[in-house]
Amino acid sequence: MNESLYVLGELKEIDKRAVAVVGSREMSERGRKLTEDFVKELVKNKVTIISGLARGVDTVAHETALKYGG
C-alpha cells in the first residue's frame, strides 16, 4: 500500500507532538466540558491540536486550544 500525507505549509519540530481531536457534531454539554478539559491539558503540555474544523467537537477543540495559547 502506498500512503501519502500532503501538507500546506511547513512541518516544524513542534508538530511531532500533535493530537487529532474529532467527534460528534451534535455533542452534549458533558461532551463539551470533557473536550474543553482534555484540550486545555494538551495545550498546557505543548501538544498541537489538529482537527477538521467541523462544527461540534472539532470547533470546541480549536476554540479551546486558541483560548489557552495553543
Side-chain angles (χ1 to χ4, degrees):
M1 179 176 6
N2 185 7
E3 297 179 13
S4 299
L5 174 65
Y6 296 92
V7 176
L8 178 61
E10 178 185 344
L11 286 177
K12 299 180 181 178
E13 186 65 28
I14 195 170
D15 294 328
K16 289 184 178 181
R17 292 181 40 92
V19 172
V21 180
V22 297
S24 176
R25 290 183 180 199
E26 296 181 28
M27 73 180 127
S28 64
E29 281 304 311
R30 181 173 181 267
R32 174 181 292 279
K33 176 76 169 115
L34 288 171
T35 302
E36 290 172 346
D37 291 347
F38 182 65
V39 170
K40 180 180 175 182
E41 291 303 314
L42 290 172
V43 170
K44 279 185 182 179
N45 287 284
K46 307 293 185 211
V47 175
T48 300
I49 306 303
I50 302 170
S51 183
L53 289 175
R55 66 181 170 88
V57 170
D58 297 46
T59 299
V60 172
H62 278 288
E63 289 173 345
T64 303
L66 292 172
K67 179 178 179 180
Y68 291 99

